[in-house]
Amino acid sequence: MPLVKRGNSKFWYVQFQLNGRHFIKSTRTTDRKIAERIEAQLRADVYAEVVLGKKKPMTLEATLQRFLDSKTGTANHRNLVSRRKTILRILKGSMLASMLTSDDLEHYRTTRAKAGIAAQTIKHELNFIIGAMNAARKAGFEIPEIHAPTVKVSSGRTRYLTSAEEARLLAALDPTRVGNGLAPVELREPRKQQEMQDNYDLVVLLLDTGARYSEIADISWERIDLPNRMIKLWRSKVQNESVLFMTDRVFEVLSRRWANKTSEHVFTNKNGGPRGYRVIALRKAFDRAGLTDCSMHTLRHTHASRLVQLGMSVYEVRAILGHSDIRTTMRYAHLEQTSVSSRARDLINRLNSQAGEVI
């Protein structure tokens, strides 16, 4: 019989055989007429798949999730969770993966690039999409074979801000600035003024801590120890904690914000929750400052570069940045070599000077 009842279930089940394979599935209905229609559709789908070789469709969201599930327990799983969430903000998850085109991936690339996202990050995200699509296609789902657009990753030295460039950026973010269609400070909407202050304060903290954007943008007050001038920073990307000591200007910013806090988070969204990824105004500030080749990650590079230039070893900087792999920190090694070389020059000059005094 094609429709049967099983056990104590109140639903009708479809049950049949095709090409030696046994198929059984609940119709999730107690109405026999509806169950008969479901049975007919299921038979047609199975016939198309088994006999005609038609492949099963899958949504983009399900395709990404299936690939993510296959990576559970790996060191990179947490990063992939974040990438999936980012991808689905731009590409429609409910669309069939079979409808995804190279133009969609190019749209994704340009959207992320305009948001100031580093080329390496965009490349990782596109690789995640392609990896998910390839895995689903091998499993027999209806997935087209498409290729990700080329993303040029600079092989040059890491971009960081000079002191003059930092000054320009902070001037472009100054919450008391005028012009560009801004009303005078005393006439501004409180929410607008608060957003401008938030952007300025956030950049100061990123410059002076070297933290990743999300680590500061979403930080809660329970991780701020003002009496001891410490920040207990949880690094979700690498699953470790760093204790950072505040610079004078970080202490000033956090003290001011503590005195006026209205939430458990240092930076908030409109609903009082963590700020989240909101960088459009910051991207515009980079442009106003003439720093069109910079991104939010440039602030982290700036902090690390200055530490190396001031004499810290790359191993010490690794601890500050919370890198899990020293190879990531080695991008600053050329600056350490320059610092060592200048110290060597100073030592030789001092030795030569002492020798001259003896003569």
Side-chain angles (χ1 to χ4, degrees):
M1 294 177 61
L3 288 175
V4 298
K5 289 288 185 74
R6 292 171 57 87
N8 296 323
S9 176
K10 62 182 179 180
F11 300 126
W12 287 103
Y13 279 75
V14 177
Q15 182 174 298
F16 61 91
Q17 286 187 330
L18 183 64
N19 282 12
R21 291 173 59 184
H22 187 72
F23 297 89
I24 184 166
K25 184 176 181 180
S26 172
T27 64
R28 305 296 296 175
T29 182
T30 58
D31 188 315
R32 186 179 179 91
K33 289 186 176 180
I34 295 177
E36 288 173 348
R37 290 199 295 270
I38 293 174
E39 182 239 340
Q41 183 61 55
L42 180 60
R43 281 178 177 274
D45 291 342
V46 169
Y47 183 85
E49 180 185 340
V50 175
V51 179
L52 302 180
K54 183 178 180 181
K55 296 182 178 180
K56 296 173 287 185
M58 181 183 277
T59 65
L60 176 61
E61 182 174 8
T63 302
L64 298 177
Q65 186 62 51
R66 183 179 184 280
F67 187 64
L68 180 62
D69 291 343
S70 72
K71 301 298 180 180
T72 300
T74 65
N76 198 39
H77 182 262
R78 183 171 291 272
N79 291 340
L80 295 179
V81 170
S82 177
R83 285 174 196 160
R84 176 184 174 277
K85 188 181 298 184
T86 299
I87 291 166
L88 293 177
R89 285 205 306 262
I90 299 172
L91 298 178
K92 192 173 181 180
S94 60
M95 72 182 294
L96 291 176
S98 59
M99 302 300 292
L100 192 69
T101 66
S102 296
D103 285 343
D104 292 323
L105 297 186
E106 176 60 26
H107 165 71
Y108 184 89
R109 184 194 69 79
T110 56
T111 299
R112 294 292 277 160
K114 287 178 181 178
I117 305 304
Q120 187 67 60
T121 299
I122 300 173
K123 188 172 183 178
H124 285 319
E125 292 167 355
L126 288 170
N127 286 343
F128 177 56
I129 297 173
I130 295 299
M133 297 279 281
N134 289 342
R137 184 171 59 256
K138 289 178 182 178
F141 290 93
E142 187 181 358
I143 304 290
E145 187 169 350
I146 61 176
H147 302 282
T150 301
V151 179
K152 293 183 179 179
V153 178
S154 174
S155 58
R157 291 182 175 178
T158 302
R159 178 71 164 96
Y160 58 89
L161 302 181
T162 65
S163 296
E165 288 174 331
E166 177 187 313
R168 295 209 313 267
L169 177 59
L170 292 179
L173 286 164
D174 187 347
T176 64
R177 69 185 186 277
V178 295
N180 296 323
L182 289 170
V185 175
E186 61 275 11
L187 298 179
R188 279 179 203 159
E189 291 290 333
R191 182 63 194 175
K192 175 65 175 178
Q193 186 60 30
Q194 185 60 56
E195 288 176 353
M196 294 175 68
Q197 187 68 61
D198 287 351
N199 290 332
Y200 181 90
D201 292 349
L202 177 62
V203 167
V204 168
L205 264 64
L206 292 174
L207 282 167
D208 280 15
T209 64
R212 298 175 182 86
Y213 174 90
S214 61
E215 293 169 351
I216 294 297
D218 297 339
I219 197 169
S220 60
W221 280 111
E222 66 180 1
R223 294 197 165 273
I224 306 297
D225 183 352
L226 281 172
N228 294 305
R229 296 195 175 200
M230 294 191 308
I231 300 175
K232 299 172 184 176
L233 197 67
W234 174 250
R235 302 187 186 276
S236 59
K237 182 176 181 180
V238 290
Q239 292 291 285
N240 63 34
E241 184 178 72
S242 297
V243 175
L244 304 179
F245 288 91
M246 303 176 193
T247 63
D248 289 344
R249 63 178 180 177
V250 166
F251 179 72
E252 184 277 323
V253 165
L254 291 176
S255 296
R256 168 170 43 77
R257 297 188 72 86
W258 172 262
N260 298 285
K261 74 182 183 74
T262 58
S263 168
E264 61 180 306
H265 293 92
V266 178
F267 297 97
T268 64
N269 58 25
K270 293 180 180 179
N271 300 318
R275 174 187 171 105
Y277 194 75
R278 293 166 52 205
V279 298
I280 294 177
L282 298 173
R283 178 67 263 173
K284 290 180 179 178
F286 276 110
D287 292 343
R288 288 196 301 273
L291 304 171
T292 55
D293 60 337
C294 296
S295 67
M296 295 306 301
H297 215 64
T298 303
L299 306 179
R300 183 166 162 85
H301 292 324
T302 298
H303 182 79
S305 299
R306 288 175 179 174
L307 294 181
V308 173
Q309 289 170 325
L310 291 171
M312 272 195 173
S313 71
V314 290
Y315 289 93
E316 292 171 316
V317 172
R318 173 192 179 185
I320 296 295
L321 297 184
H323 285 157
S324 58
D325 190 334
I326 187 61
R327 288 175 295 182
T328 306
T329 325
M330 289 305 293
R331 72 181 69 187
Y332 310 108
H334 69 283
L335 298 173
E336 182 180 34
Q337 294 164 2
T338 301
S339 176
V340 170
S341 178
S342 65
R343 291 204 303 274
R345 176 204 61 202
D346 295 342
L347 289 172
I348 295 299
N349 281 339
R350 188 182 309 160
L351 182 62
N352 290 342
S353 176
Q354 292 172 351
E357 291 175 1
V358 172
I359 293 174

